[in-house]
Amino acid sequence: MGFSRQEYWNLRKQARQLENELDLKLVSFSKLCTSYSHSSARDGRRDRYSSDTTPLLNGSSQDRMFETMAIEIEQLLARLTGVNDKMAEYTNSAGVPSLNAALMHTLQRHRDILQDYTHEFHKTKANFVAIRERENLMGSVRKDIESYKSGSGVNNRRTELFLKEHDHLRNSDRLIEETISIAMATKENMTSQRGMLKSIQSKMNTLANRFPAVNSLIQRINLRKRRDSLILGGVIGVCTILLLLYAFH
């Protein structure tokens, strides 16, 4: 199946639009994971003094948002993969060697962006699932403790030690969550900077592809400067030799 040049440029336009949408979606997805971590830590501390009805509702709402955003990102990744595959078909059928090299460079750049977004999505998703599973486990432990306390009605030494150990685990878990939050904030900053650099690089490549004569003219100017430098150096050398011969004659 062949593609016209206009169809190829339309595919490139679609790829850039999908990449921009994915960039925004992944930033929101990362913020959702961070907010879930913070709310889980607050809810865990509040559960010791109040009922757990509100945290469960909040967690359920965030779980639904997580599932919805994950599906949307997976669909965008699938669409971008399809666009890249169609661009690869056009690149393989272009026929002109010099044109093929430029198209392959552009295609590889789009593939690298797709790979980065896919890796970032799976990493953020895995972090979210790990935090949710840890919170479910800690919630189960809290319920077991409360059930044991209400059933026995006696705060014996073993229960006190168990509660102290539980508090120690919660404090350690909170420190880990704060560290994860700092790391994710740093990642968001780096993602924003990467987007700016990607935009600059895309504009430079577009200018280079649209005006190949500029690159050729710059190369010819550089060659002429080198030739002039060699001629000037040769003339200076010959004059120097003649002056020395004349001086010692």
Side-chain angles (χ1 to χ4, degrees):
M1 177 181 178
F3 294 92
S4 67
R5 191 170 183 83
Q6 182 61 39
E7 290 174 332
Y8 173 78
W9 288 113
N10 289 336
L11 289 173
R12 282 201 61 190
K13 183 179 179 180
Q14 292 179 25
R16 288 193 294 267
Q17 290 175 346
L18 290 172
E19 287 167 358
N20 291 333
E21 290 183 31
L22 276 168
D23 194 45
L24 295 175
K25 288 286 185 182
L26 287 171
V27 171
S28 299
F29 196 57
S30 178
K31 289 181 179 179
L32 175 63
C33 184
T34 303
S35 64
Y36 185 88
S37 175
H38 288 167
S39 63
S40 296
R42 291 193 300 269
D43 294 342
R45 291 191 294 270
R46 188 169 58 223
D47 280 351
R48 297 180 58 185
Y49 306 101
S50 62
S51 70
D52 57 356
T53 302
T54 302
L56 286 175
L57 290 175
N58 289 340
S60 177
S61 176
Q62 287 181 320
D63 287 344
R64 287 194 297 269
M65 290 178 60
F66 168 78
E67 297 296 340
T68 301
M69 293 186 67
I71 293 174
E72 292 176 353
I73 293 174
E74 288 174 349
Q75 291 175 347
L76 288 174
L77 290 173
R79 289 172 59 190
L80 183 57
T81 301
V83 172
N84 285 351
D85 291 341
K86 291 181 180 179
M87 291 172 62
E89 291 181 19
Y90 178 84
T91 301
N92 294 331
S93 62
V96 182
S98 60
L99 180 60
N100 276 353
L103 296 180
M104 285 299 298
H105 175 74
T106 301
L107 176 61
Q108 185 59 44
R109 184 165 55 83
H110 285 293
R111 284 175 171 172
D112 291 341
I113 293 173
L114 173 61
Q115 184 178 4
D116 290 341
Y117 285 160
T118 303
H119 175 73
E120 183 177 347
F121 167 65
H122 288 305
K123 183 178 179 181
T124 304
K125 183 178 179 181
N127 289 337
F128 186 95
V129 172
I131 293 173
R132 184 172 59 183
E133 291 178 351
R134 184 170 64 248
E135 286 303 316
N136 291 337
L137 177 61
M138 298 304 294
S140 177
V141 172
R142 288 195 300 269
K143 289 180 181 179
D144 291 341
I145 294 173
E146 294 299 328
S147 177
Y148 178 79
K149 288 174 62 179
S150 61
S152 62
V154 179
N155 292 325
N156 55 28
R157 179 64 177 171
R158 181 180 299 177
T159 302
E160 291 177 359
L161 292 175
F162 190 40
L163 289 174
K164 288 181 179 179
E165 183 65 21
H166 177 258
D167 289 339
H168 177 71
L169 290 174
R170 287 295 303 175
N171 290 333
S172 300
D173 188 58
R174 180 174 55 81
L175 291 175
I176 293 174
E177 290 173 352
E178 290 177 354
T179 303
I180 293 175
S181 299
I182 294 173
M184 296 188 70
T186 304
K187 185 193 71 175
E188 291 177 7
N189 188 20
M190 294 181 66
T191 300
S192 176
Q193 294 180 4
R194 183 186 65 185
M196 293 176 61
L197 293 175
K198 182 189 70 175
S199 176
I200 294 174
Q201 183 183 8
S202 176
K203 291 179 180 178
M204 294 294 292
N205 290 333
T206 301
L207 289 176
N209 291 333
R210 288 184 178 180
F211 305 104
V214 175
N215 290 331
S216 177
L217 178 61
I218 293 174
Q219 291 177 358
R220 288 198 300 268
I221 292 173
N222 290 333
L223 289 175
R224 181 167 297 179
K225 288 175 62 178
R226 294 194 192 100
R227 186 189 64 185
D228 293 343
S229 299
L230 291 175
I231 294 173
L232 182 60
V235 172
I236 293 173
V238 171
C239 293
T240 303
I241 293 172
L242 292 175
L243 288 174
L244 293 174
L245 291 175
Y246 179 78
F248 292 102
H249 182 62

